[in-house]
Every structure is written in structure tokens, then in C-alpha cells.
Amino acid sequence: MTAPATGPVRRRITVRGTVQGVGFRPYVHRLAAGLALAGFVGNTADGVLIEVEGPPEEVDRFAGRLTEQPPPLATVTGVGCEDVPATGAPGPFTIRPTEHAPGRTQLPPDTATCADCLRELADPGDRRHRHPFVTCTHCGPRFTIATGMPYDRPATTMAGFPMCPDCAREYGDPADRRFHAQPVACPGCGPRLALVPAAGLGVRAARDAEALASARALLAAGRIVAVKGVGGYHLACDATDARAVATLRARKERGGKAFAVMCADLGTAERVAVLSAAERAALTGARRPIVLLRRRSPGDGPRPAAEVCPGSPHIGLLLPYTPVHTLLFGLPGDPPGPRLLVMTSGNRSGEPIVTDDTEALTRLAGIADAWLTHDRPVACPCDDSLLRVRADGSEQVLRRSRGYVPRPLRLPVPVRPTLAVGGDLKNALCLGEADQAWFGPHIGDMADLAALEAAERAERHLGRLTGVTPRRVAADRHPGYHSTRRARGTTTRLGLRRGPVMVQHHHAHIAAAMAEHGLDGSEPVIGVAFDGTGYGDDGTVWGGEILLADYTGYRRLARLTPAPLPGADAGVANPCRLALARLWAAGLPWTPGLPSVEACTESERALLAQQLTRQLACVPTSSMGRLFDAVSSLAGLCHRAAYEAQAALELEAAALEAGDADEAAYPFGIAAGRLPWEMDPAPALRALLADRARRTPVPVLAARFHRGVARAVADVCCRVRTDTGRTTVALTGGVFANALLEEEAAVLLGTAGFTVLRHGEVPPNDGGLALGQLMVAGTAVHHETE
């Protein structure tokens, strides 16, 4: 029997997870110093390496307390310990220089300014009073300033700002909150703000505090200011000024799409929207996303102009998350300014967010009246994240970007080193290896060269931070997607011997839901994949699919009965034409006086009739998204769509107005014969037209249609269970961003005894597509040499 150690012992501890850029080394230093232990801590390529030496009981105490209260931004995913020979070296415990080597350390996302930094910002006696870049180890930018790993100041965009003696003293003081905080700075170190007015504005250029004051005054005067944040530029204006909002909408070519609104504080937000406890927590948390909220009835205090989110009962609100935002609203004693600001991405609609200062002056010219900028570069664009909170308090992320990226997702099965490039809408790439996957930031629509270039920069940046070298590339099967063409070029650039693995769109959606919920794929699930467009195996447009799927493959069990899509993708902007095509497919007449009929001109109707009869430029589609568009027009809501999903959003908004007026649902026909089974909307359309003839209110029409779709889903899933024995259902695709439909379907399926998978952190829309591509391609067995 070995006698217990009586002399000093030494233990080597490796810590993995999000442990760089979060104050973990200072935390370890304080813990070791408090126990009078010798040794060191340092960043490595794979996390944090610690060696501690001292009395056995103190070393044990250190190891036991190491993960009890880590810094707020740290996430420990693994700890390894081994005993090593004691060296006898005396203290003190030290922080070693970083090993510069590629690795897999997890960098934390950007986080909102912490309470301690906000107090310093507002304290006239503090040396960082009004410093627009106040930060510490518990808050501030990380992902958007990191240029490489391991995470140290030379590998960030703060490298060009040498620390002044005071900041250097804080950086080296183990007792200070900024001990080894890489973005540490003060007014003496920089960065610095500048206001650049447009020519002819009559406002002079300014720096620092004067720049902020001028920007606030411009906003109060109804002007539009481009504001540089941590992840790129925003376009801001007074959200209560209808003329300013309308001007921004016109200049940005925004159409009728809603704007996000930044509120000065939580109290202001509560006067604008109805907040549950979970929504309040989402708004005020460290991630600070845009949260979709129910608008409050007019009352006291500032109110957003109707032009902010026309026709919608919801509004997207967020709170300040950088010191610049806080100062823009003003500190006590500042001249008054707007308390509600439209804060929308700094771009023209359809383009990626602008990050480069010189580019901002050209790409945002004609939109912005002035630029509030600064001299710290943005390493990678990162738009605001967007989410909604369900009735049960769970969150559904609709755009996963700032505050989430680059936090990894733990995968249920290991994958080969794979890059998945996503789709052409709401694009976000995903990079994975072994049991981890990293989403890139939201890029947006891949319709122009700027977006493709932004996607390539995001890919390179994420590769530098994760150390993953892809040996496989995955893309959507659609032959015309820009992202798919880019994937082919990527395989060539990487020197891979085989081209991209092409993954069917709806299979990828279902695989993403499975991966998010930790399913290993050993049992297939019933995947309900509803969206607007996905390239089908038969060359038609899919989008109303029920598949039996795992990571290795799928079988199409049911679909929405197809209808012609006149004009293919170009026809999507005309819900009135989609409605007439759906009526034609259902054998229903184009009755004069019907809203969709009246919305089309006589020549439009004549041309459409010829197209449908001769099947000219009419691709068949089973898209549930297009059915929602058609019903929106039939109900008299939206006949011409100025932005993606406008018609469906207006239909959902109308349905919410109905409340619990009744429980009726429009019936779908279910033809459960030869696969795929058909979900026929013709009975639902007939019932809707009959209700219109009875002058049933539009909100009731909309609500009955939503309930009808949900009941059709539950009906088909019950029939599939009888045939296959499968009891797990995944609800996925952009249509399930519709809160009313998703909730109704989930309740019906849960009541029927199914396990229901709903998206949380991974978006149900194409923003989550890349994760599914990664799982399908990364787990597949291929015989070709890679």
C-alpha cells in the first residue's frame, strides 16, 4: 500500500472549451495564488494548460474548485489531469506567454457591455468616463476582432493600438478586472470615433465626444446616420419620426419589410411591447439579439412610427450592446435625443453588411447623411441575431449570428473535416470536424458578387479560428444556386480530388433538426419539411414534404399536391398569380370579384390562362410556402410581395387577430395510396371561398387555414406511424418560423403521442441548412480517395 504523499506534488491539468478571451487564465492565477501554489497557466493550441505544485491537500483543493465558478463567458467542456514530478520550483504562480500554433480552442462570441463597464462609462470620476470602447474580461468583442488563434492581442484588430502605461498596468495586475483582457483600452490608447458628414450637409467633421454629440443631434433632426458597430455598420434614424423612417426605407430600397428598433433601455422597451419574463431575459442577456415581440397598444412615452413595421402586430426590439450605442442615446445631462432608433443592417437590401470604412463611404452613399465611424477594423462581418420566444419560454433563433457565433454545437456523431456552404437565402456556412460544428455568421442572400466574397472571407476566418482544414465540401443539390457553384470552386481551391457532396434541400433541413436534438441517426424520423423552394429529385420545386429520414438517406412519404408555378422563381413576387394557379389546379373558377382575380389585370389573366393550359414556363411545385402566399392573396391580404415571405407573414398576422374566435379548420384531402401520399388543399380552398362568400372576417379565414395545415400534418404523421412505427417528428423549414402554425402542429402531434423536435438555436429556415448538409456529407462513407 502506497503511503500518502507528504512533500509537494505537481499536477498537470488541461482545460478544454471556451476558455480563451474570457479571463480564464486570470481566474486560474487568482485561485492558485490564493492557495499559495506554485506553477503556471497558459493558452495552448487546444485550450488552457495548467501546472500546479504545492501541498497535496492544496493541489486537490485547487483541482476541485477549478470549474466551480468560472468566469461568466467561459464554458468548460473537458478537464484532463495527470500527476507529474514535482520540480521544487518556488512561487509565485505565473501566466506564461501563449504558444502560437494552430488548434481547436473555442473563442467566445461578442457579448454586451457588462454592468461594471457601464458604471465606469457613466462615472465622471473614472478614467474611462465616456470611453466608447470600454470593455473587460467579462464583456465586449471577441469574434469580430479575432484574426487568428490562440487568442491574444497580437492576433486581434487591437494589435494596432499599443497599451498606454495605465492600461498595461491593469493588464498585468492579477487583482484587476482587466488582467490579461486583450481588448483593454482607454481614451489614451484608442480606438477613436469620428463623424464624417455627407457633402453639403452643413455639418463639420468631428472626433470623439463631439462626434457622438453631433450624431445624436443629427438623429434628433430626422437624419440617417451610418453607425459602425462591432460587426459592421448599421443605418440608424429616429424610429418615432415617420418621415425619417420612410426616407430610410426608400433609400435602402427596403420595400415594406420591417425594421428592427433599438430601445435606450428596458423601460422604454416595455412601453413599446408586451414582455414576458423569458422575453425580458432574452432582451437583457449577454447576447442581446433582436427579439420579436407583440406590440403594445398606444400609450405614454415614445412610440415607433407605423412605417417601422407596417401591417405587423410584432416588432423586433433590441437593447444597446456596445458603449457606442449607450453613448449615442446619451448619459445623464446630455442634450436629449431619440429614445428609439431604427437600427438596420448597413447595406442596400439584398447585399451583405458593410464593414470596411472606405467601402462604407461609397456603398452607403445616398443612404446615410453622415457616418459615425471608428478606426478599429472589423475582422469578420457579424449581423445582429434574431429570435422569438415561444409561449413555453423556449427560444427559436431565426438568424444565428452575433452573440452566438462562433460558439460550437456538439454533434451526436463524429464527422470528417467538412465545410458546408448552405443555400442561397439566409446563407450561413458551417464547418465541422469530429464532434463539433461551427456556424459562420449570417451572410444573407447570395445573389451578388459582394455576398459571395463575404462568404469566402467568412469561410477563411472561421477556418483560422477553428483550425479545421476541410477534406469534404457539401452544398445544396440545386444546380442554379450561387452557393453550389462557389462550392465547386472551393473544392478546386482546397485541392480536393472529389467535387462537393450534393445534399437534397429538405433532407438537410431534417438532418439539422436531428443534429440539434442530439439524435445519432440510428433510427429515422418523420421529417415535416415545409418551406418556399427546394430542388426536388424529379427536377420540380419541392417545399411541402414529409420524409422518412436519417443522416444516410430519406424516403418521400407525402407531399402537398403540386400546382403550377407560373414564371418559376420570378412568379413568387406575385401571390395573386400563385392564387389563380392554385385555383386552376384545384378545378375552381376565377370568379369575378375574388380579390386575387381583381388584383390581376385582364391581360395578366389572359396570359396566365394560356401558360396554365399549355404548361408554358410553369414548373410544378409542392411548396407549402407558395400555398401560404396564394391563400394570403385569396383572403385579400397581399397580392404583390415586395420582400421574401411578405404574403405569408401578413396571413399569420391576420390569423393572430382572430384569437380564439372559433376552432374550425379547413380540411385537406389525404390520398394515402401510392407513395408519395398527397395532401390536397382543394377542399380547404373551396371552404375558404365559401367563407368569403359569407363575408367571414379575414382573420378567421387566416386562422382556419393555419389550423387546417396543422391538422393535415398530424393526420399524415399518424398514418405514417401506423405504417412505419416511427414516433419522432421533426418540424423544420422556413414555414415553421410561423409561430402560430408551429405551435398548433406541435400541440396536435404531442397530444397524439409523438416526440416533437422543434428548432431552438439552429434556425428552421435556410440559415440552419448548412448544419444538415454537414451531417449528411460528413457522416457519409465515400470510397473515393480524398
Side-chain angles (χ1 to χ4, degrees), residues 748-776:
L748 291 173
L749 289 165
T751 302
F754 287 95
T755 298
V756 183
L757 310 181
R758 299 199 279 176
H759 284 280
E761 188 172 321
V762 176
N765 54 41
D766 284 6
L769 197 67
L771 176 62
Q773 294 173 347
L774 174 77
M775 295 304 299
V776 173

Side-chain angles (χ1 to χ4, degrees), residues 408-416 430-438 515-516 518-520 551 771 774-775 779:
L409 297 167
R410 182 61 60 89
L411 301 178
V413 290
V415 297
R416 295 167 179 81
C430 193
L431 194 59
E433 184 176 7
D435 66 345
Q436 290 188 316
W438 292 264
E516 181 177 11
L519 273 61
D520 63 9
Y551 298 128
L771 176 62
L774 174 77
M775 295 304 299
T779 58

Side-chain angles (χ1 to χ4, degrees), residues 641-653:
Y643 58 90
E644 185 200 1
Q646 178 182 351
L649 287 169
E650 292 186 12
L651 187 67
E652 180 188 6

Side-chain angles (χ1 to χ4, degrees), residues 152-178:
D152 272 306
R153 195 177 182 102
T156 73
T157 58
M158 290 297 296
F161 301 94
M163 284 184 276
C164 70
D166 287 336
C167 285
R169 192 161 40 249
E170 293 170 335
Y171 183 88
D173 181 359
D176 196 278
R177 198 173 84 252
R178 294 184 171 87

Side-chain angles (χ1 to χ4, degrees), residues 233-235 252 344-348 352-355 363-364 383:
Y233 279 83
H234 284 101
L235 290 165
K252 188 176 160 76
T344 187
S345 302
N347 54 14
R348 293 186 188 275
I353 189 171
V354 178
T355 59
R363 282 178 58 191
L364 302 182
D383 227 322

